[in-house]
């Protein structure tokens, strides 16, 4: 059989098969980050698309930087994966979501592998047809691969393996199509196939494991298995199988052999465990997690009898190359982290499923009831396995394992003992947790209804086209594909504000994001003290300003009123882990303004709020954003970090002494303005006040600061009213004779005219019952406002183009 010519390939059927797979994948679309690897990959997409760099900002909490150059603007590690093609190709999806309102960034980028795997299913169809099997056989083989193998499970992730599989399969297809062209054109097809393999390597270097298989597949056709080259070539996979058997049976290897392999960069310490898991374990092998792969065994025998030796050897070398290659190169990471096993073998699956094509063609013959039952049984079992993998987060699985597993997903009994299989344990949570799909989280029945109808329509069209390929139904393929894309956009828009995983329905968070989009400036930084709102930032923030940095949860912060903090201390440097503290200090020293999005408030008595406390001591609070939605668990605060405030623990007394007294006991001893006295409109004025009381105070007083026009004695700007130190040093906690530093900042209006201005300070208390405000009387050298306003002994100059000069002593 010489195959079909390229121009005879039924593109309409290929597109229809891919669309059918796409619709089914959208019915189980999760848009959920499950592993640290995929979190960092998505972070790389946002960093590259918006900033043109590879800095890990939103994922900093997961894997913080260990060493950063002092001159670096950001204290962040870079994305350390060398193969970044998937990041480049996924970036347009993020830019699309940024450009179109109502599209979640995480939701949209997570479509990447849905499209890739759907393309793989369509390409399997094309390759089976190019191998001269019937369209019905190609449809059955490709859809079986799409729904009965790990391709479905990995369509819901952001791992690199699906894209690598796509390009490897593309190389096989180009080689086969080139074989059907004129001799002069075959070289071009081989060049394109080589380019496709290069793209696979740029996605993941392990694609080189497919090179022997591709070379074998590209060899000239042999008439039958008796040809000399075929007999010689068979010895290669047989020899490799012998090596695999040796590594599995002799574990650990003799020290001399292990040292020899190590000289070539091969690590055989875990090769035995890896190979047993990849090939033998019913709970983690390529056939255990994708049982329809077993159809390839009789399929290969049929291909061999048909004289398709080259194809059989290529399939064998594909699986052997990946199995042996990963067992000897990944070392302790042979399992692939928190993933659906066997992750590293996924790129070989499409090629292996090609061997099911002759069995599918045979199954379509009359009287093949037993074969059909076997096929349906394996497919049903595979669908159960894959559906279990996409129904819930994989993190639930390790929590269901017994204590002796230590939460390790690669725990060996889980790979061999059926009671611990993933598709046995995860379904036990369905009744309690339901299905974790985007449409179930957002309570969107229209999602499943629309894609369900489209799936049925695509299946019906496919059946009609298989019966009559030249009928008018072929025009339905592009229409259904286009309709599917529009349906995806509409449903994603409906899910934008309803995804509980990304806190999409929390109105205060949305308002905070809108406020930042309006107010943030280039160079601004947004800090999040934990990953509690990390998914919201990833999904909803579509601006490159401010740049978000998500920190690890502070050690001094309780997770809730029932989960105490790890650290209880008055030492600010013990509130955070070492890396988070370095990040905070670096950001303060390198940027002039930062924002804090926090999920705690003063009304949560159990919350220590360590990051807010730390910033009150080491930055200048500008205020809290006033959001229309009252929500104590979503607060946005602004700080000026244009200069370093006085160290609250030092004996420094300030730059300018004052004689202002408020009431009978409170004295303003001095102030510090470390930045300058000349400002432009829109800039912030930073200053620190040094308070002291003569005796303990029973009332909790609030400090208010203003900038007033020296000529008119009218205020033009007001600061953030709060108790000293942003509320963390209430006057009721002051000790007699112990000074307290209070850092503050006031933003000048953009319309402020040039001239001289004064700083005013007021202290007041609010009656808890009546709500009336009582100001403390002020005495001292400069007092205004009928003795209720203290005027600080500094003059602020506003000029169109501020010239930096030292403040007057």
């Amino acid at each position: 059989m010489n195959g079909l010519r390229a121009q005879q390939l039924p593109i309409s059927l290929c597109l229809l098969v891919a669309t059918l797979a796409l619709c089914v994948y959208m019915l189980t679309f999760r848009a959920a980050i499950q592993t640290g690897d995929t979190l960092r990959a998505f972070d790389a997409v946002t960093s590259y698309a918006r900033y043109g760099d590879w800095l890990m900002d939103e994922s900093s909490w997961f894997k913080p930087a260990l060493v950063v150059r002092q001159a670096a603007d950001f204290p962040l590690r870079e994305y350390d994966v060398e193969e970044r093609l998937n990041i480049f190709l996924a970036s347009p999806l993020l830019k699309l979501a940024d450009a179109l309102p109502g599209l979640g960034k995480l939701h949209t980028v997570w479509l990447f592998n849905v499209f890739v795997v759907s393309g793989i299913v369509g390409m399997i169809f094309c390759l089976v047809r190019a191998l001269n099997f019937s369209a019905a056989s190609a449809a059955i083989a490709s859809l079986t691969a799409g729904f009965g193998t790990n391709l479905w499970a990995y369509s819901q992730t952001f791992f690199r393996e699906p894209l690598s599989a796509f390009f490897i399969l593309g190389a096989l297809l180009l080689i086969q199509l080139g074989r059907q062209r004129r001799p002069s054109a075959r070289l071009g097809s081989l060049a394109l196939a080589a380019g496709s393999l290069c793209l696979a390597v740029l996605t993941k270097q392990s694609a080189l494991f497919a090179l022997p298989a591709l070379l074998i597949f590209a060899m000239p056709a042999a008439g039958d298995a008796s040809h000399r080259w075929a007999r010689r070539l068979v010895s290669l996979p047989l020899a490799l199988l012998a090596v695999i058997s040796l590594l599995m049976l002799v574990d650990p290897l003799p020290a001399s052999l292990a040292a020899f392999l190590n000289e070539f960069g091969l690590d055989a310490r875990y090769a035995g465990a890896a190979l047993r898991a990849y090939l033998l374990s019913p709970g983690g092998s390529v056939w255990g997690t994708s049982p329809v792969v077993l159809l390839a065994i009789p399929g290969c025998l049929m291909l061999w009898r048909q004289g398709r030796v080259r194809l059989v050897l290529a399939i064998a070398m594909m699986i052997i190359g990946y199995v042996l290659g990963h067992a000897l190169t990944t070392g302790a990471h042979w399992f692939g982290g928190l993933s659906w096993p066997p992750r590293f073998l996924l790129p070989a699956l499409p090629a292996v499923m090609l061997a099911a094509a002759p069995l599918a063609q045979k199954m379509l013959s009359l009287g093949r009831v037993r074969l059909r039952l076997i096929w349906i049984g394996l497919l049903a079992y595979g669908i159960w396995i894959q559906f279990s993998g996409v129904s819930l987060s994989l993190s639930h699985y390790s929590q269901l394992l017994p204590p002796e597993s230590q939460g390790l997903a690669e725990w060996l009994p889980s790979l061999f003992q059926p009671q611990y299989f993933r598709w046995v344990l995860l379904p036990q949570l369905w009744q309690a947790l339901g299905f974790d799909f985007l449409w179930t989280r957002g309570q969107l029945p229209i999602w499943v209804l629309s894609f369900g109808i489209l799936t049925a329509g695509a299946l019906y069209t496919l059946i009609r086209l298989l019966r009559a390929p030249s009928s008018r139904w072929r025009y339905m393929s592009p229409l259904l594909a286009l309709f599917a894309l529009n349906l995806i956009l509409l449903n994603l828009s409906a899910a934008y504000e309803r995804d509980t995983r990304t806190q999409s329905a929390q109105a205060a968070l949305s308002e905070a994001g809108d406020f930042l989009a309006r107010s943030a400036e280039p160079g601004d930084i947004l800090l999040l003290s934990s990953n509690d709102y990390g998914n919201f930032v990833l999904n909803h923030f579509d601006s490159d300003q401010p740049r978000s940095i998500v920190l690890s949860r502070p050690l001094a912060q309780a997770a809730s009123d029932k989960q105490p903090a790890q650290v209880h201390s008055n030492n600010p440097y013990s509130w955070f882990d070492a890396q988070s503290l370095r990040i905070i200090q670096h950001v303060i020293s390198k940027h002039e303004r930062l924002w804090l999005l926090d999920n705690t408030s003063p009304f949560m008595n159990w919350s220590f709020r360590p990051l807010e406390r730390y910033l009150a001591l080491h930055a200048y609070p500008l205020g809290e954003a006033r959001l229309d939605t009252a929500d104590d668990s979503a607060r946005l605060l602004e700080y000026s970090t244009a200069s370093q405030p006085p160290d609250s623990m030092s004996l420094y007394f300030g730059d300018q002494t004052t004689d202002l007294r408020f009431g009978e006991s409170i004295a303003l001893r001095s102030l510090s303005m470390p930045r300058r006295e000349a400002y432009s409109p829109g800039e912030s004025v930073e200053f620190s006040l040094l308070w002291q009381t003569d005796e303990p105070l029973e009332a909790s007083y609030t400090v208010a600061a203003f900038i007033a026009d020296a000529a008119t004695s009218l205020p033009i700007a007001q600061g953030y009213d709060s108790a000293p130190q942003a509320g963390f040093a209430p006057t009721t906690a002051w000790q007699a004779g112990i000074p307290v530093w209070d850092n503050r900042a006031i933003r000048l209006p953009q319309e402020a005219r040039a001239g001289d201005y004064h700083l005013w300070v007021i202290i007041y208390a609010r009656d808890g019952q009546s709500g009336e405000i009582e100001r403390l009387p002020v005495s001292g050298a400069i007092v205004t406002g009928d003795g209720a306003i203290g005027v600080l002994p500094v003059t602020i100059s506003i000029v169109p183009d501020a010239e930096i000069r030292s403040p007057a002593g």
Side-chain angles (χ1 to χ4, degrees), residues 46 50-51 58 94-105 496 513-514 516-517 536-546 548:
T46 62
R50 292 174 180 164
Y51 307 104
E58 291 106 341
L94 180 74
K95 293 181 179 180
L96 175 68
D98 284 345
L100 296 180
L103 281 185
K105 322 318 158 198
Y496 181 68
D514 294 340
L516 284 170
F536 178 86
V537 170
L538 289 173
N539 195 53
H540 288 267
F541 281 22
D542 55 9
S543 172
D544 57 355
Q545 304 298 339
S548 305

Side-chain angles (χ1 to χ4, degrees), residues 53-240:
D53 59 39
W54 300 98
L55 296 178
M56 299 286 93
D57 37 29
E58 291 106 341
S59 62
S60 179
W61 65 274
F62 177 76
K63 202 172 183 180
L66 299 177
V67 178
V68 175
R69 291 182 295 108
Q70 180 62 31
D73 286 339
F74 302 97
L76 305 168
R77 74 161 61 223
E78 288 195 352
Y79 186 56
D80 53 8
V81 177
E82 296 180 1
E83 311 96 315
R84 299 172 174 176
L85 185 58
N86 64 320
I87 308 299
F88 292 119
L89 296 181
S91 295
L93 288 174
L94 180 74
K95 293 181 179 180
L96 175 68
D98 284 345
L100 296 180
L103 281 185
K105 322 318 158 198
L106 177 62
H107 294 167
T108 306
V109 172
W110 234 247
L111 291 170
F112 182 75
N113 272 341
V114 172
F115 291 144
V116 168
V117 176
S118 299
I120 289 174
V121 174
M123 210 181 315
I124 292 174
F125 177 90
C126 289
L127 187 49
V128 173
R129 286 291 289 132
L131 291 169
N132 207 24
F133 290 98
S134 68
S137 302
I140 292 173
S142 58
L143 292 176
T144 297
F147 304 141
T149 72
N150 283 347
L151 288 173
W152 187 356
Y154 279 89
S155 71
Q156 306 301 318
T157 70
F158 195 49
F159 286 115
R160 293 173 290 159
E161 280 75 10
L163 186 61
S164 181
F166 179 87
F167 288 122
I168 290 172
L169 192 64
L172 289 170
L173 179 58
L174 287 166
I175 291 172
Q176 180 61 24
L177 294 180
R179 187 172 287 114
Q180 301 162 10
R181 303 178 67 183
R182 298 187 305 274
S184 58
R186 291 176 186 174
L187 187 61
S189 294
L190 290 176
L192 290 176
S196 187
L197 178 61
C198 289
L199 293 176
V201 174
L202 291 175
T203 302
K204 196 164 187 182
Q205 289 182 359
S206 62
L208 288 172
F209 297 148
L211 180 59
L214 292 174
L215 291 176
I216 291 174
F217 190 67
M219 293 181 68
D224 54 53
S226 63
H227 278 216
R228 182 177 302 176
W229 73 264
R231 292 200 305 269
R232 291 177 178 177
L233 206 55
V234 168
S235 61
L236 178 59
L238 289 178
L240 293 177

Side-chain angles (χ1 to χ4, degrees), residues 717-775:
Q718 181 177 356
Y720 177 42
D721 288 13
S722 70
Q725 286 184 14
F728 293 109
T731 54
T732 53
W734 288 3
Q735 300 180 41
I738 304 298
V740 176
W741 276 111
D742 181 19
N743 304 321
R744 295 182 177 271
I746 303 176
R747 183 166 299 284
L748 293 167
Q750 290 288 351
E751 64 276 8
R753 66 174 183 83
D756 292 335
Y757 293 83
H758 292 154
L759 276 173
W760 290 357
V761 177
I762 295 172
I763 292 184
Y764 65 88
R766 187 183 300 272
D767 187 277
Q769 296 182 349
S770 65
E772 294 183 358
I773 292 177
E774 178 184 357
R775 295 181 179 178

Side-chain angles (χ1 to χ4, degrees), residues 392-407:
L392 290 172
S393 173
L394 298 180
S395 61
H396 290 299
Y397 173 69
S398 57
Q399 300 169 8
L400 295 171
L401 293 175
E404 57 266 28
S405 71
Q406 299 181 359

